[in-house]
Amino acid sequence: MIAYRLHDVDAPPRWDDLPLPEPGPGEVRVAMRACGLNFADLLMLQGQYQERPDLPATLGLEGAGVVEALGAGVTTPAIGTRVAVFGSGMLASHAVVPAVACLPIPDAMTWPEAAGFQIAYATSHLGLARRANLCPGERLLVTGAAGGVGLTAIEIGKLMGAEVVASARGADKLAICREAGADHVIDADAPDMLEQLRALGGLDVTYDSVGGEAFHSAFRATRPEGRLLLIGFAGGDLPRLAPNHMLVKNISVIGHYMGAYPRFNPQALAGSLGALLEWYRAGRLHPHISHVLPYDQVAEGMDLLRSRRSTGKVVIDLPDGG
């Protein structure tokens, strides 16, 4: 098998030839077909991700493929099942994962769709439904709205009955946000973002993956009992909280990291993914993938994320491991 591995944070990753692994008890081996890239992959390259694996480490946090071998005690998913997988080491021709980490996917779901589905959609669904308790009729701001998680937050916010405001950089990205269902769009570079938000009537919920000034504008435009959901800090600046304003306006700032759910509440994650797949089967979700690249262009895919030239997901097409 081959795997894209990071050996040192000061050196670029490389494709390594490795022995084909055998699944242990409770595990399966998946012949991978595609891997979705995420901003977390960039942080891992720099040694800045909140979970730091021992090196060398195979990159890739989500992917999709076909189950090809079962470990002891495993009966499902059966050999030949098409699955999406969330975990570490997905940027490889084969991956050994716990059987419970495999999500059977609909026949109509393409490999790129399946490879980039779980992190973005589950982050938005768990964040908006479980953590922020978004209610019908509320006004939702999504920052970084043309990115992988941002577009899913627009879709899910609309499905939950919210009025969605999308913030992204440039006319092309704002047009994509409108296509995803945003009711209002604001250029992220606009100097009067706060005034535009207040002119709309303020915010009930903010889904923020950017941080920095975008967070502060959203915070100041938040109505009493509003909620600000912290997804990440792609802008590079951690927001400065004002607890006194949180107090007098009864505002909640909520942290949300989807990657922790397999450890502390796998049932919640499973329920979320089940609901999301039902929405997909019903034609209510439309994954947006801007780039599908061959496996020898992983570095170019990472650069698309780093330079923010992509919209939605960037997916790597893997060698046919089957």
Side-chain angles (χ1 to χ4, degrees):
M1 63 169 285
I2 60 172
Y4 195 69
R5 298 206 299 172
L6 179 66
H7 291 258
D8 192 296
V9 294
D10 295 323
R14 65 173 186 258
W15 285 101
D16 291 337
D17 290 307
L18 301 172
L20 189 66
E22 293 299 326
E27 296 179 330
V28 301
R29 188 175 69 229
V30 179
M32 303 299 293
R33 297 293 191 269
C35 176
L37 300 185
N38 292 276
F39 191 76
D41 292 307
L42 293 180
L43 296 178
M44 196 171 295
L45 289 178
Q46 301 162 3
Q48 297 177 356
Y49 192 50
Q50 54 258 39
E51 297 183 15
R52 299 186 182 185
D54 295 331
L55 300 180
T58 301
L59 298 176
L61 297 174
E62 61 179 337
V66 179
V67 176
E68 67 171 17
L70 308 180
V74 176
T75 57
T76 58
I79 290 176
T81 303
R82 301 170 75 247
V83 296
V85 184
F86 165 63
S88 59
M90 300 294 103
L91 202 46
S93 61
H94 299 77
V96 169
V97 299
V100 295
C102 294
L103 179 71
I105 58 175
D107 292 340
M109 184 174 272
T110 67
W111 290 125
E113 287 178 332
F117 189 84
Q118 293 185 87
I119 290 178
Y121 276 105
T123 294
S124 293
H125 185 256
L126 284 168
L128 294 174
R130 183 181 180 87
R131 301 288 289 137
N133 191 30
L134 179 67
C135 297
E138 290 191 311
R139 186 172 294 117
L140 165 69
L141 169 67
V142 180
T143 68
V149 294
L151 288 174
T152 65
I154 293 173
E155 281 191 292
I156 291 169
K158 290 299 295 180
L159 286 172
M160 294 178 66
E163 176 187 347
V164 178
V165 185
S167 172
R169 183 168 286 113
D172 291 344
K173 290 185 177 181
L174 292 176
I176 290 172
C177 293
R178 282 202 179 277
E179 291 174 7
D183 300 288
H184 314 279
V185 295
I186 299 175
D187 195 299
D189 290 329
D192 61 343
M193 183 176 181
L194 173 59
E195 287 72 20
Q196 291 190 59
L197 293 173
R198 284 175 169 167
L200 290 172
L203 303 170
D204 299 296
V205 175
T206 293
Y207 180 100
D208 182 34
S209 60
V210 177
E213 288 305 313
F215 173 88
H216 295 299
S217 294
F219 185 92
R220 295 176 66 188
T222 298
R223 301 196 287 209
E225 294 193 335
R227 290 87 72 201
L228 293 98
L229 193 65
L230 300 181
I231 303 299
F233 313 104
D237 295 325
L238 300 181
R240 301 178 305 278
L241 300 180
N244 55 327
H245 292 174
M246 294 168 60
L247 177 68
V248 298
K249 292 180 69 176
N250 289 286
I251 289 175
S252 300
V253 177
I254 305 165
H256 177 51
Y257 172 47
M258 173 266 187
Y261 275 86
R263 292 191 299 275
F264 77 85
N265 197 337
Q267 295 82 8
L269 177 59
S272 174
L273 289 170
L276 290 164
L277 283 180
E278 286 305 311
W279 276 344
Y280 177 89
R281 291 187 180 97
R284 304 181 74 186
L285 296 179
H286 304 89
H288 179 96
I289 301 163
S290 65
H291 295 80
V292 179
L293 301 176
Y295 78 98
D296 58 354
Q297 293 183 21
V298 176
E300 289 84 346
M302 297 288 191
D303 190 59
L304 286 169
L305 297 182
R306 185 181 296 108
S307 62
R308 295 177 174 80
R309 288 180 289 125
S310 60
T311 55
K313 295 295 292 190
V314 175
V315 176
I316 302 300
D317 185 32
L318 295 169
D320 188 343

